[in-house]
Amino acid sequence: MNPELVALLVEVAGAPPGWARHVTPDARLDGDLLLDEDELAELAGRLSERFGPEADLAALRAGLDLAALEALTVADVQRLLPEEGPR
């Protein structure tokens, strides 16, 4: 699990640090972490800012239907991050 991704999720959720234990690869952004649209938009911006344009959560979400959006996990987001690490 990428620690910077976990930290970003905690920040955009406005959650206390202990909340990070809920951030697992299988945690659904909507159903488990309860991120709303504003938080997801903020996460998308921060990911692109930190990891570059290939970390495009907005583009990923735009191509999904409702069921797939509800099933989107932390692991799905982590796959957007570049292999070589942050820019």
Side-chain angles (χ1 to χ4, degrees):
M1 178 70 46
N2 183 305
E4 284 191 86
L5 175 57
V6 174
L8 285 174
L9 285 162
V10 170
E11 286 176 29
V12 301
W19 182 83
R21 74 180 188 281
H22 299 291
V23 181
T24 64
D26 294 335
R28 294 169 298 153
L29 301 181
D30 180 19
D32 297 317
L33 301 181
L34 305 175
L35 297 180
D36 64 26
E37 285 301 316
D38 290 337
E39 292 163 337
L40 289 167
E42 184 176 345
L43 178 62
R46 288 184 182 212
L47 287 171
S48 292
E49 199 175 274
R50 181 69 184 114
F51 295 100
E54 56 275 345
D56 193 347
L57 180 59
L60 172 65
R61 293 184 72 233
L64 301 176
D65 64 15
L66 184 57
L69 284 170
E70 290 174 349
L72 196 63
T73 65
V74 172
D76 296 325
V77 175
Q78 186 159 311
R79 281 192 282 279
L80 293 173
L81 305 184
E83 294 277 331
E84 68 274 4
R87 294 183 178 239

